[in-house]
Amino acid sequence: MRTDLLNFSYFFRTGVSILRKRQFILYHKPTTSCNCRCEFCDFWKNQNTDAKVKTEDVIKMLEDGRRAGLTTYSLWGGEPLMVEDLGEWLMQAKKLGYKTSMCTSGYLLEERHREINGHIDIILLSLEDVYERQDKIRNTPGLFERVIRGLEKFAGDKRTKIKIWSHINKLNSLSSIDILKFAKRFDISVEFFPSNVFSDYNEEIIFSPEERHETFSRIMRLKKQGWPVNNSFEALKLMRGDRGYRCNMARNAIHVDADGNITPCETRFISGYSNYGNILSDSLSLIHKKELYEANILSLEKCRNCLFPCIAESANNIYLRAGKRFADFISGKDR
């Protein structure tokens, strides 16, 4: 009952932010360091040792974000589990009333379990294949076994929802059924999406339009058959390439990089934008009052450089999509 009340409060506060035309997600990339060497992503080539912003500054950012109406604190990277003070950040975020989430390869999930347990609501486990094929696609020996041990740590813990996020490309286009079988074993769901292009690195493994259509048509059939595909059919149609869409990321979220810079989206995927400032000197509460806030929204809603589930599931009419998410919560589909 308490969990339902907290979730209802979260959806209510998020709805208020949407109606006020304010962002509600705080994406935080505290490090570019990564312990994988993936074939489909080159983030690991730009390494740093840890977060450049001190913990006291992160806590001030979280407090400022709540005053600004932000309701979701989402960590990614790089690999957020490589950040020493991550557990403290998540604990403080939960105390402030955020819904917390984190995208991870799972390599350190077992080791960091005790620190983050009870403070993380959603773990987005990045998984592209199973067994030794996962180790190969990420060039990280022993990764898949580490993922299993990490999942076992969270097994039966209803406080944390785990979803698999799976990049799909030419290397693993036929692996969706194996990933779904693995997900079913742990009673979790999968969200698929096409890999992003990183120039001079992964172009040769990116789908042609025909390959993308075929692959996501196959995933749609698996969803219809009852496999735990968590993407909506609307999102899968976008990923299949059926039609264009309007991106709402700049409208929904604020991004904070490891150096504290505040941007409307991940800087690797966008161009033609202006920074909102830096958390060390600028308030998140004032972003929506800046002229460039509306300018970034209008410019970036035309962006088509990625199709992460967070992009596809909130595309086009944000009010209808938010209403559907709330209806899913009330009906029990999203608990």
Side-chain angles (χ1 to χ4, degrees), residues 17-89:
S17 292
I18 292 173
L19 289 172
R20 295 178 69 194
K21 297 184 178 180
R22 306 264 182 101
Q23 297 106 327
F24 60 93
I25 306 172
L26 173 56
Y27 284 109
H28 186 197
K29 184 171 69 172
T31 181
T32 57
S33 293
C34 189
N35 39 27
C36 295
R37 300 293 183 266
C38 303
E39 296 283 348
F40 54 86
C41 170
D42 69 348
F43 272 30
W44 59 269
K45 298 179 75 175
N46 180 27
Q47 297 287 295
N48 61 32
T49 55
D50 210 334
K52 297 178 182 178
V53 178
K54 297 178 180 178
T55 289
E56 53 262 38
D57 295 317
V58 172
I59 293 173
K60 288 179 182 178
M61 172 190 75
L62 291 169
E63 294 170 343
D64 189 28
R66 286 296 294 116
R67 289 191 291 269
L70 300 173
T71 62
T72 304
Y73 179 51
S74 186
L75 287 147
W76 70 305
E79 173 53 64
L81 287 174
M82 294 178 70
V83 177
E84 183 178 356
D85 291 341
L86 180 70
E88 183 176 353
W89 298 356

Coordinates of all heavy atoms in Angstrom, one line a residue, residues 17-89:
S17 N 4.2 18.8 -13.4 CA 5.4 19.4 -14.1 C 5.1 19.4 -15.6 O 5.4 20.4 -16.3 CB 6.6 18.6 -13.9 OG 7.1 18.8 -12.5
I18 N 4.4 18.4 -16.1 CA 4.1 18.3 -17.6 C 3.1 19.4 -17.9 O 3.2 20.1 -18.9 CB 3.6 16.9 -17.9 CG1 4.7 15.9 -17.8 CG2 3.0 16.9 -19.4 CD1 4.2 14.5 -18.0
L19 N 2.1 19.6 -17.0 CA 1.0 20.6 -17.3 C 1.6 22.0 -17.2 O 1.1 22.9 -17.9 CB -0.1 20.4 -16.3 CG -1.0 19.1 -16.5 CD1 -2.0 19.0 -15.4 CD2 -1.7 19.2 -17.9
R20 N 2.6 22.2 -16.4 CA 3.2 23.5 -16.2 C 4.3 23.7 -17.3 O 5.0 24.7 -17.3 CB 3.9 23.6 -14.8 CG 2.9 23.6 -13.7 CD 3.6 23.7 -12.4 NE 4.2 25.0 -12.2 CZ 5.1 25.2 -11.2 NH1 5.5 24.3 -10.4 NH2 5.6 26.4 -11.1
K21 N 4.5 22.7 -18.2 CA 5.4 22.8 -19.3 C 6.9 22.9 -18.7 O 7.7 23.7 -19.2 CB 5.1 23.9 -20.2 CG 3.8 23.7 -21.0 CD 3.5 24.8 -22.0 CE 2.2 24.5 -22.7 NZ 1.9 25.5 -23.8
R22 N 7.1 22.1 -17.7 CA 8.5 22.0 -17.1 C 9.0 20.6 -17.2 O 8.3 19.7 -17.3 CB 8.4 22.4 -15.6 CG 7.7 23.7 -15.2 CD 8.6 24.8 -15.0 NE 8.0 26.0 -14.7 CZ 7.9 26.5 -13.4 NH1 8.4 25.8 -12.4 NH2 7.3 27.6 -13.1
Q23 N 10.3 20.6 -17.3 CA 11.0 19.2 -17.3 C 10.7 18.5 -16.0 O 10.6 19.1 -15.0 CB 12.5 19.4 -17.6 CG 12.8 20.0 -18.9 CD 13.3 21.4 -18.7 OE1 12.9 22.1 -17.8 NE2 14.3 21.8 -19.6
F24 N 10.7 17.1 -16.1 CA 10.5 16.3 -14.9 C 11.6 15.3 -14.7 O 11.7 14.6 -13.6 CB 9.2 15.7 -14.9 CG 8.9 14.7 -16.0 CD1 9.2 13.4 -15.9 CD2 8.4 15.2 -17.2 CE1 9.0 12.5 -17.0 CE2 8.2 14.4 -18.3 CZ 8.4 13.0 -18.2
I25 N 12.5 15.1 -15.7 CA 13.6 14.1 -15.5 C 14.9 14.8 -15.4 O 15.3 15.7 -16.2 CB 13.6 13.2 -16.8 CG1 12.3 12.5 -17.0 CG2 14.7 12.1 -16.6 CD1 12.2 11.7 -18.3
L26 N 15.7 14.4 -14.5 CA 17.1 14.9 -14.3 C 18.0 13.7 -14.7 O 18.2 12.8 -14.0 CB 17.4 15.3 -12.9 CG 18.8 15.7 -12.5 CD1 19.4 16.7 -13.5 CD2 18.9 16.1 -11.1
Y27 N 18.6 13.8 -15.9 CA 19.6 12.8 -16.4 C 21.0 13.3 -15.9 O 21.4 14.4 -16.2 CB 19.6 12.7 -17.9 CG 18.4 11.9 -18.4 CD1 17.4 12.5 -19.1 CD2 18.3 10.5 -18.3 CE1 16.3 11.8 -19.6 CE2 17.3 9.8 -18.8 CZ 16.3 10.4 -19.5 OH 15.2 9.7 -19.9
H28 N 21.7 12.4 -15.3 CA 23.0 12.8 -14.7 C 24.0 11.8 -15.3 O 23.9 10.6 -15.0 CB 23.0 12.8 -13.2 CG 24.2 13.2 -12.6 ND1 24.5 13.0 -11.3 CD2 25.3 14.0 -13.1 CE1 25.7 13.6 -11.0 NE2 26.2 14.1 -12.0
K29 N 25.0 12.3 -16.0 CA 26.1 11.4 -16.5 C 27.3 11.8 -15.7 O 28.1 12.7 -16.1 CB 26.3 11.7 -18.0 CG 27.4 10.7 -18.6 CD 27.4 10.8 -20.1 CE 28.0 12.1 -20.6 NZ 28.2 12.1 -22.1
P30 N 27.6 11.1 -14.6 CA 28.7 11.6 -13.7 C 30.1 11.2 -14.1 O 31.0 11.7 -13.6 CB 28.3 10.9 -12.3 CG 27.6 9.6 -12.8 CD 26.8 10.0 -14.0
T31 N 30.2 10.3 -15.1 CA 31.5 9.8 -15.5 C 31.4 9.3 -17.0 O 30.3 8.8 -17.4 CB 32.0 8.7 -14.6 OG1 33.3 8.3 -15.1 CG2 31.1 7.5 -14.6
T32 N 32.4 9.4 -17.7 CA 32.5 8.8 -19.0 C 33.3 7.5 -19.0 O 33.4 6.8 -20.0 CB 33.2 9.7 -20.1 OG1 34.4 10.1 -19.6 CG2 32.3 11.0 -20.3
S33 N 33.8 7.2 -17.8 CA 34.6 6.0 -17.6 C 33.7 4.8 -17.8 O 32.5 4.8 -17.4 CB 35.2 5.9 -16.2 OG 36.2 6.9 -16.1
C34 N 34.2 3.7 -18.4 CA 33.4 2.5 -18.6 C 34.4 1.3 -18.5 O 35.5 1.3 -18.9 CB 32.7 2.5 -19.9 SG 31.5 1.2 -20.2
N35 N 33.8 0.2 -17.9 CA 34.6 -1.0 -17.8 C 34.3 -2.0 -18.9 O 34.7 -3.2 -18.8 CB 34.5 -1.7 -16.4 CG 33.0 -1.6 -15.9 OD1 32.1 -1.6 -16.7 ND2 32.8 -1.6 -14.6
C36 N 33.6 -1.6 -20.0 CA 33.4 -2.4 -21.1 C 34.0 -1.7 -22.4 O 34.3 -0.5 -22.3 CB 31.9 -2.6 -21.4 SG 31.0 -3.6 -20.1
R37 N 34.2 -2.5 -23.4 CA 34.8 -2.0 -24.7 C 33.9 -2.4 -25.8 O 34.2 -3.2 -26.7 CB 36.2 -2.5 -24.8 CG 37.1 -2.2 -23.7 CD 37.4 -0.7 -23.7 NE 38.4 -0.3 -22.7 CZ 38.1 0.1 -21.4 NH1 36.8 0.1 -21.1 NH2 39.0 0.4 -20.6
C38 N 32.7 -1.8 -25.8 CA 31.6 -2.3 -26.7 C 31.9 -2.1 -28.2 O 32.4 -1.1 -28.6 CB 30.3 -1.7 -26.3 SG 29.8 -2.0 -24.6
E39 N 31.4 -3.0 -29.0 CA 31.5 -2.9 -30.4 C 30.5 -1.9 -31.0 O 30.8 -1.3 -32.1 CB 31.1 -4.3 -31.1 CG 32.1 -5.4 -30.7 CD 33.4 -5.3 -31.5 OE1 33.5 -4.5 -32.4 OE2 34.4 -6.0 -31.1
F40 N 29.4 -1.6 -30.3 CA 28.4 -0.7 -30.8 C 28.5 0.7 -30.2 O 27.8 1.6 -30.7 CB 27.0 -1.3 -30.5 CG 26.8 -1.6 -29.1 CD1 26.3 -0.6 -28.2 CD2 27.0 -2.8 -28.6 CE1 26.1 -0.9 -26.9 CE2 26.8 -3.1 -27.3 CZ 26.4 -2.1 -26.4
C41 N 29.3 1.0 -29.2 CA 29.4 2.3 -28.6 C 30.9 2.6 -28.3 O 31.7 1.8 -27.9 CB 28.6 2.2 -27.2 SG 28.8 3.6 -26.2
D42 N 31.2 3.9 -28.5 CA 32.6 4.3 -28.3 C 32.8 5.3 -27.1 O 33.8 5.9 -27.0 CB 33.2 4.9 -29.6 CG 32.5 6.3 -29.9 OD1 31.5 6.6 -29.3 OD2 33.0 7.0 -30.8
F43 N 31.8 5.3 -26.2 CA 31.9 6.2 -25.1 C 33.2 5.8 -24.3 O 33.8 6.7 -23.7 CB 30.7 6.0 -24.2 CG 29.6 7.0 -24.5 CD1 29.4 7.4 -25.8 CD2 28.7 7.4 -23.6 CE1 28.3 8.2 -26.2 CE2 27.6 8.2 -23.9 CZ 27.5 8.7 -25.2
W44 N 33.5 4.5 -24.2 CA 34.6 4.1 -23.4 C 36.0 4.7 -23.9 O 36.9 4.7 -23.1 CB 34.7 2.6 -23.4 CG 34.9 2.0 -24.8 CD1 33.9 1.6 -25.6 CD2 36.1 1.7 -25.5 NE1 34.4 1.1 -26.8 CE2 35.8 1.1 -26.7 CE3 37.4 1.9 -25.1 CZ2 36.7 0.7 -27.7 CZ3 38.4 1.5 -26.1 CH2 38.1 0.9 -27.3
K45 N 36.0 5.2 -25.1 CA 37.3 5.7 -25.6 C 37.6 7.1 -25.0 O 38.7 7.5 -25.1 CB 37.2 5.8 -27.1 CG 37.0 4.5 -27.8 CD 36.9 4.6 -29.3 CE 38.3 4.9 -29.9 NZ 38.2 4.9 -31.4
N46 N 36.6 7.7 -24.4 CA 36.8 9.0 -23.7 C 36.7 8.8 -22.2 O 35.7 9.1 -21.6 CB 35.7 10.0 -24.2 CG 35.9 11.4 -23.6 OD1 37.0 11.8 -23.2 ND2 34.8 12.1 -23.5
Q47 N 37.8 8.4 -21.6 CA 37.8 8.0 -20.2 C 38.2 9.1 -19.3 O 39.0 10.0 -19.6 CB 38.8 6.9 -20.0 CG 38.5 5.6 -20.8 CD 37.4 4.8 -20.2 OE1 37.4 4.3 -19.0 NE2 36.3 4.7 -20.9
N48 N 37.5 9.2 -18.1 CA 38.0 10.0 -17.0 C 38.0 9.1 -15.8 O 37.5 7.9 -15.8 CB 37.2 11.3 -16.8 CG 35.8 11.0 -16.5 OD1 35.4 10.0 -15.8 ND2 34.9 11.9 -16.9
T49 N 38.6 9.5 -14.7 CA 38.8 8.6 -13.6 C 37.5 8.6 -12.7 O 37.3 7.6 -12.1 CB 40.0 9.1 -12.7 OG1 39.8 10.5 -12.3 CG2 41.3 9.0 -13.5
D50 N 36.8 9.7 -12.6 CA 35.6 9.7 -11.8 C 34.8 10.9 -12.0 O 35.1 11.7 -12.9 CB 36.0 9.6 -10.3 CG 34.9 8.9 -9.4 OD1 33.8 8.9 -9.9 OD2 35.3 8.3 -8.4
A51 N 33.8 11.1 -11.2 CA 32.9 12.3 -11.3 C 33.8 13.6 -11.0 O 34.6 13.6 -10.1 CB 31.8 12.3 -10.4
K52 N 33.6 14.6 -11.8 CA 34.3 15.9 -11.6 C 33.6 16.8 -10.6 O 34.2 17.8 -10.2 CB 34.6 16.6 -12.9 CG 35.4 15.8 -13.9 CD 35.6 16.5 -15.2 CE 36.4 15.6 -16.2 NZ 36.5 16.2 -17.5
V53 N 32.4 16.5 -10.3 CA 31.6 17.4 -9.4 C 31.5 16.7 -8.1 O 31.3 15.5 -8.0 CB 30.1 17.5 -10.0 CG1 29.3 18.4 -9.0 CG2 30.2 18.2 -11.4
K54 N 31.8 17.5 -7.0 CA 31.8 16.9 -5.7 C 30.4 16.5 -5.2 O 29.4 17.0 -5.7 CB 32.4 17.9 -4.7 CG 33.9 18.3 -5.0 CD 34.3 19.4 -4.1 CE 35.8 19.8 -4.4 NZ 36.3 20.9 -3.4
T55 N 30.4 15.6 -4.2 CA 29.2 15.0 -3.7 C 28.3 16.1 -3.1 O 27.1 16.1 -3.4 CB 29.4 14.0 -2.6 OG1 30.0 12.8 -3.3 CG2 28.2 13.6 -1.9
E56 N 28.9 17.1 -2.4 CA 28.0 18.2 -1.9 C 27.4 19.0 -3.0 O 26.3 19.5 -2.8 CB 28.9 19.1 -1.0 CG 30.1 19.6 -1.6 CD 31.4 18.9 -1.2 OE1 31.3 17.6 -1.1 OE2 32.4 19.5 -1.0
D57 N 28.0 19.1 -4.2 CA 27.4 19.8 -5.3 C 26.3 19.0 -5.9 O 25.3 19.5 -6.4 CB 28.5 20.1 -6.3 CG 29.6 21.1 -5.8 OD1 29.2 22.1 -5.1 OD2 30.8 20.9 -6.0
V58 N 26.5 17.7 -6.0 CA 25.5 16.8 -6.5 C 24.2 16.9 -5.6 O 23.1 17.0 -6.1 CB 25.9 15.3 -6.6 CG1 24.8 14.4 -6.9 CG2 27.1 15.2 -7.6
I59 N 24.4 16.9 -4.3 CA 23.3 17.0 -3.4 C 22.5 18.3 -3.5 O 21.3 18.4 -3.5 CB 23.7 16.7 -1.9 CG1 24.2 15.3 -1.7 CG2 22.6 17.0 -0.9 CD1 24.9 15.0 -0.4
K60 N 23.3 19.4 -3.7 CA 22.7 20.7 -3.9 C 21.9 20.7 -5.2 O 20.8 21.3 -5.3 CB 23.8 21.8 -4.0 CG 24.4 22.1 -2.6 CD 25.4 23.2 -2.7 CE 26.1 23.5 -1.4 NZ 27.2 24.5 -1.5
M61 N 22.5 20.0 -6.3 CA 21.8 19.9 -7.5 C 20.4 19.1 -7.4 O 19.4 19.5 -7.9 CB 22.7 19.1 -8.5 CG 22.0 18.8 -9.9 SD 23.0 17.7 -10.9 CE 22.7 16.1 -10.0
L62 N 20.5 18.1 -6.6 CA 19.2 17.3 -6.4 C 18.2 18.1 -5.6 O 17.0 18.1 -6.0 CB 19.6 16.0 -5.6 CG 20.4 15.0 -6.3 CD1 20.9 13.9 -5.3 CD2 19.6 14.3 -7.4
E63 N 18.6 18.9 -4.6 CA 17.7 19.7 -3.9 C 17.1 20.8 -4.8 O 15.9 21.1 -4.8 CB 18.4 20.4 -2.7 CG 18.9 19.4 -1.6 CD 19.8 19.9 -0.6 OE1 20.3 21.0 -0.8 OE2 19.9 19.3 0.5
D64 N 18.0 21.4 -5.6 CA 17.6 22.4 -6.5 C 16.6 21.8 -7.6 O 15.6 22.5 -7.9 CB 18.8 23.0 -7.2 CG 18.5 24.2 -8.1 OD1 17.5 24.9 -7.8 OD2 19.2 24.5 -9.1
G65 N 16.9 20.6 -8.0 CA 16.0 20.0 -9.0 C 14.6 19.7 -8.4 O 13.6 19.9 -9.2
R66 N 14.5 19.3 -7.2 CA 13.2 19.1 -6.6 C 12.4 20.4 -6.5 O 11.2 20.4 -6.8 CB 13.3 18.5 -5.2 CG 13.7 17.0 -5.2 CD 12.7 16.2 -5.9 NE 11.4 16.1 -5.1 CZ 10.3 16.6 -5.5 NH1 10.1 17.1 -6.7 NH2 9.2 16.5 -4.7
R67 N 13.1 21.5 -6.2 CA 12.4 22.8 -6.2 C 11.9 23.2 -7.6 O 10.9 23.9 -7.7 CB 13.3 23.9 -5.6 CG 13.6 23.8 -4.1 CD 14.3 25.0 -3.6 NE 15.6 25.1 -4.1 CZ 16.7 24.6 -3.5 NH1 16.5 23.9 -2.3 NH2 17.9 24.7 -4.0
A68 N 12.6 22.7 -8.6 CA 12.3 23.0 -10.0 C 11.2 22.1 -10.5 O 10.7 22.3 -11.6 CB 13.5 22.9 -10.9
G69 N 10.8 21.1 -9.7 CA 9.7 20.2 -10.2 C 10.2 18.9 -10.8 O 9.4 18.2 -11.3
L70 N 11.5 18.6 -10.7 CA 12.0 17.4 -11.3 C 11.6 16.2 -10.3 O 11.7 16.4 -9.1 CB 13.5 17.4 -11.4 CG 14.0 18.5 -12.3 CD1 15.5 18.6 -12.3 CD2 13.6 18.3 -13.8
T71 N 11.2 15.1 -10.9 CA 10.7 14.0 -10.1 C 11.5 12.7 -10.3 O 11.3 11.8 -9.5 CB 9.2 13.7 -10.4 OG1 9.1 13.4 -11.8 CG2 8.3 14.9 -10.2
T72 N 12.3 12.7 -11.4 CA 13.0 11.4 -11.7 C 14.5 11.7 -11.8 O 14.9 12.7 -12.5 CB 12.6 10.8 -13.0 OG1 11.2 10.6 -13.0 CG2 13.3 9.5 -13.3
Y73 N 15.3 11.0 -11.1 CA 16.8 11.1 -11.1 C 17.3 9.9 -11.8 O 17.2 8.7 -11.3 CB 17.3 11.3 -9.7 CG 18.9 11.4 -9.6 CD1 19.6 12.3 -10.4 CD2 19.6 10.6 -8.8 CE1 20.9 12.4 -10.3 CE2 21.0 10.7 -8.7 CZ 21.6 11.6 -9.4 OH 23.0 11.7 -9.4
S74 N 17.9 10.0 -13.0 CA 18.4 8.9 -13.8 C 19.9 9.0 -14.1 O 20.3 10.0 -14.7 CB 17.6 8.8 -15.1 OG 17.9 7.7 -15.8
L75 N 20.6 8.0 -13.7 CA 22.1 8.0 -13.9 C 22.5 7.1 -15.0 O 21.9 6.0 -15.2 CB 22.7 7.4 -12.6 CG 22.7 8.4 -11.4 CD1 22.6 7.6 -10.1 CD2 24.0 9.2 -11.4
W76 N 23.5 7.6 -15.8 CA 24.0 6.8 -16.8 C 25.4 7.2 -17.1 O 26.0 7.9 -16.2 CB 23.2 6.8 -18.1 CG 23.2 8.1 -18.9 CD1 22.9 9.3 -18.4 CD2 23.5 8.3 -20.2 NE1 23.0 10.3 -19.4 CE2 23.3 9.7 -20.5 CE3 23.9 7.4 -21.2 CZ2 23.6 10.2 -21.8 CZ3 24.1 7.9 -22.5 CH2 23.9 9.3 -22.8
G77 N 26.1 6.8 -18.2 CA 27.5 7.2 -18.4 C 27.9 7.0 -19.8 O 27.2 7.2 -20.7
G78 N 29.1 6.4 -19.9 CA 30.0 5.7 -19.0 C 29.2 4.7 -18.1 O 28.1 4.3 -18.4
E79 N 29.8 4.3 -17.1 CA 29.3 3.3 -16.1 C 29.1 3.9 -14.8 O 30.1 4.2 -14.0 CB 30.2 2.1 -16.1 CG 29.8 1.0 -15.0 CD 28.4 0.6 -15.1 OE1 28.0 0.0 -16.2 OE2 27.6 0.9 -14.2
P80 N 27.9 4.3 -14.3 CA 27.7 4.9 -13.1 C 28.2 4.1 -11.9 O 28.5 4.7 -10.8 CB 26.2 5.2 -13.0 CG 25.6 4.3 -14.0 CD 26.6 4.1 -15.1
L81 N 28.2 2.8 -11.9 CA 28.6 2.0 -10.8 C 30.1 2.1 -10.5 O 30.6 1.6 -9.5 CB 28.2 0.5 -11.0 CG 26.7 0.2 -10.9 CD1 26.5 -1.2 -11.3 CD2 26.2 0.5 -9.5
M82 N 30.8 2.8 -11.4 CA 32.3 3.0 -11.2 C 32.5 4.3 -10.3 O 33.6 4.6 -9.9 CB 33.0 3.2 -12.5 CG 33.0 1.9 -13.3 SD 33.9 2.1 -14.9 CE 35.6 2.3 -14.4
V83 N 31.4 5.0 -10.0 CA 31.5 6.3 -9.2 C 31.5 5.9 -7.8 O 30.5 5.3 -7.3 CB 30.4 7.3 -9.6 CG1 30.5 8.5 -8.7 CG2 30.5 7.6 -11.1
E84 N 32.5 6.4 -7.0 CA 32.6 6.0 -5.6 C 31.4 6.4 -4.7 O 31.0 5.6 -3.9 CB 33.9 6.6 -5.1 CG 34.2 6.2 -3.6 CD 35.5 6.8 -3.1 OE1 36.2 7.5 -3.9 OE2 35.8 6.6 -1.9
D85 N 30.9 7.6 -4.9 CA 29.9 8.1 -4.0 C 28.5 7.8 -4.5 O 27.5 8.5 -4.0 CB 30.1 9.6 -3.8 CG 31.3 9.9 -2.9 OD1 31.8 9.0 -2.3 OD2 31.8 11.0 -3.0
L86 N 28.3 6.9 -5.5 CA 27.0 6.7 -6.1 C 25.9 6.3 -5.0 O 24.8 6.8 -5.1 CB 27.1 5.6 -7.1 CG 25.8 5.2 -7.9 CD1 25.4 6.4 -8.8 CD2 26.0 3.9 -8.6
G87 N 26.3 5.5 -4.1 CA 25.3 5.1 -3.1 C 24.7 6.2 -2.3 O 23.5 6.3 -2.0
E88 N 25.6 7.2 -1.9 CA 25.2 8.3 -1.2 C 24.2 9.2 -2.0 O 23.2 9.7 -1.5 CB 26.4 9.1 -0.7 CG 26.0 10.3 0.2 CD 27.2 11.0 0.7 OE1 28.3 10.6 0.6 OE2 27.0 12.1 1.3
W89 N 24.6 9.4 -3.3 CA 23.7 10.2 -4.2 C 22.3 9.6 -4.3 O 21.3 10.3 -4.1 CB 24.3 10.3 -5.6 CG 25.7 10.9 -5.7 CD1 26.4 11.5 -4.6 CD2 26.5 11.0 -6.8 NE1 27.6 11.9 -5.1 CE2 27.7 11.7 -6.4 CE3 26.3 10.6 -8.1 CZ2 28.7 11.9 -7.4 CZ3 27.3 10.9 -9.1 CH2 28.5 11.5 -8.7

